[in-house]
Amino acid sequence: MRLYVDSADVKQIAHLVEYFPIAGVTTNPSILVKEKRPYLAVLKDIREIIGEDRELFVQTLGETADEMAEEARFIISKLPGKTIVKIPVTEEAIKAMKMLAQEKIPVLGTAIYTPFQAVMAAKAGAKYVAPYVNRMDNLNGNGVKVVSEIAKLFSIYHLKTEILAASFKNIQQAMDVCLAGAEALTLSPDFIGKLVSYPATVNDIKDFKAQWTAQFGSAHSVLGNYGEV
Ligand code: E4P
């Protein structure tokens, strides 16, 4: 399972990259406008923090295949390193994906709500597809089921495209898509912290420390007091 940060907040990204096994950063137009400064400067800052080996995802806004392809080339030219172009899956997007596959520009098909959108993007050469799990659930759909169906279809048709599941409201959805076969998921910074925080663990640590201190005094580390005689 690979984990991506769904944010353009450079402070939070720097923190998460230091603490967690982060494979890269995904952005979209809504995420970038929240930063309230020129988007290319934000993306360059993110690239500097994550380095050239982690993936950085940037979305196009064009409506036609030619516009999408032109934006994709621009994004790739401005952001060296492993940069992936996100394109919301429409008919024009499928055409753009075929064009970009010829040019070896890596693409993620995004805003996916149905298994066939994912299969068409994969057949057109997309490296990744991003099903929108919680947004499907909000439409009375079943995001986890769609991820599972995409995984099954990719397996039946031997498609190498990976599922990078996106849009989550809770950790249960995230775990369910992992079990359903998603290779990767992108989570907002708050959720990434929640993958490891659990109140019972904090209580256990308190108990361990109290027992240790009762025996060996106030030293809070195994380095502080070996209990040797
Ligand atoms: C990924 O980059 C998607 O755009 C994002 O995960 C959507 O999440 P949301 O539904 O919480 O906005």
Side-chain angles (χ1 to χ4, degrees), residues 162-176:
E162 291 191 323
I163 302 171
L164 196 170
S167 179
F168 296 98
K169 187 190 63 187
N170 59 56
I171 295 300
Q172 188 65 45
Q173 287 171 324
M175 195 183 74
D176 289 344

Side-chain angles (χ1 to χ4, degrees), residues 119-169:
V119 170
M120 286 300 109
K123 295 287 291 176
K127 184 176 166 70
Y128 295 104
V129 290
Y132 273 7
V133 180
N134 189 57
R135 293 195 196 196
M136 284 186 235
D137 290 358
N138 283 345
L139 294 170
N140 281 339
N142 184 333
V144 173
K145 185 163 171 266
V146 169
V147 170
S148 156
E149 288 166 348
I150 294 170
K152 195 163 178 193
L153 289 169
F154 281 6
S155 163
I156 291 170
Y157 296 116
H158 306 291
L159 295 166
K160 292 199 183 339
T161 305
E162 291 191 323
I163 302 171
L164 196 170
S167 179
F168 296 98
K169 187 190 63 187

